[in-house]
Amino acid sequence: EKTISSTSELPLEEVIEKLNKNLNDFIGKKEQFDDITMFFIKNKKAELDLHYEKKDYSIINDIVDKFNDAYSFIEEKTKASVGIIVDELVNNLISYEKREDLVIDVHFEYVSGELKLTLTSNGEDYDPFKNHKEKFLEEFHSEIAPGGFGLLIVKDLTKSHKYSYKDGHSIIELVLKS
């Protein structure tokens, strides 16, 4: 399992070669007493769409749990990053949106080793990244405005972030660092 997860970005031939080497190392000089069969399916694209029509903080855990189930093949570090990002951004959407009929759509897409997250809501036009200085965690100091630290963490965990407002919907698009 560790060998396979550590080879997710390699060409199939290299995955088979590495798995065979690790299997032979494990077996050592013992005599093989049964057949060995390997069957590989390499999925280069995986998507998950979630839809919520309630303004309730419990959806944060639901999103993270469903992500972890659907993307069990992703590194634990990336899963932890997703949990932090979802917690921060969905919490902000729920906390600061005045309307009670809030609808949140979450779209995860994994293509060729890159994880993209899109959060769409029918909330007000509010860009959470607009008034935050471009800093990284190692530059954190007391001049950061209260409430801004979570967004700095989100920025630090992502390769890119983009906000737009179209047809009455706030759209946050993120690409996670690998």
Side-chain angles (χ1 to χ4, degrees), residues 72-105:
S72 60
F73 58 91
I74 287 183
E75 291 181 10
E76 292 302 318
K77 179 182 173 187
T78 303
K79 289 181 193 176
S81 295
V82 167
I84 292 166
I85 291 167
V86 166
D87 182 54
E88 177 63 24
L89 294 177
V90 175
N91 196 328
N92 283 349
L93 287 173
I94 293 169
S95 297
Y96 300 119
E97 178 55 47
K98 294 174 186 150
R99 67 187 303 159
E100 290 302 316
D101 64 338
L102 182 66
V103 175
I104 298 173
D105 289 303

Side-chain angles (χ1 to χ4, degrees), residues 5-132:
S5 65
S6 71
T7 61
S8 63
E9 299 307 312
L10 296 176
L12 186 57
E13 295 78 21
E14 289 180 42
V15 172
I16 294 169
E17 184 179 307
K18 188 170 182 180
L19 189 58
N20 269 326
K21 181 191 176 312
N22 286 1
L23 181 62
N24 288 330
D25 290 348
F26 176 77
I27 293 171
K29 296 184 181 198
K30 294 180 185 170
E31 184 178 327
Q32 183 178 332
F33 63 90
D34 203 356
D35 294 339
I36 297 173
T37 303
M38 292 186 205
F39 179 77
F40 290 89
I41 298 176
K42 188 156 179 133
N43 184 2
K44 293 190 176 199
K45 184 174 181 179
E47 292 185 70
L48 175 64
D49 287 303
L50 304 171
H51 178 79
Y52 298 93
E53 294 185 15
K54 60 181 180 177
K55 191 175 178 179
D56 186 332
Y57 295 102
S58 68
I59 70 171
I60 294 169
N61 287 336
D62 190 63
I63 294 167
V64 173
D65 289 346
K66 287 181 177 170
F67 170 81
N68 286 336
D69 288 345
Y71 291 89
S72 60
F73 58 91
I74 287 183
E75 291 181 10
E76 292 302 318
K77 179 182 173 187
T78 303
K79 289 181 193 176
S81 295
V82 167
I84 292 166
I85 291 167
V86 166
D87 182 54
E88 177 63 24
L89 294 177
V90 175
N91 196 328
N92 283 349
L93 287 173
I94 293 169
S95 297
Y96 300 119
E97 178 55 47
K98 294 174 186 150
R99 67 187 303 159
E100 290 302 316
D101 64 338
L102 182 66
V103 175
I104 298 173
D105 289 303
V106 183
H107 176 77
F108 290 99
E109 183 176 13
Y110 183 82
V111 179
S112 299
E114 188 168 80
L115 181 63
K116 297 176 184 179
L117 164 60
T118 304
L119 292 168
T120 306
S121 74
N122 64 341
E124 294 180 25
D125 182 3
Y126 174 69
D127 180 352
F129 304 110
K130 185 176 182 179
N131 295 318
H132 292 279

Side-chain angles (χ1 to χ4, degrees), residues 88 132 137 140 144-154:
E88 177 63 24
H132 292 279
L137 291 180
F140 175 71
I144 294 175
F149 188 61
L151 289 171
L152 289 176
I153 293 172
V154 170

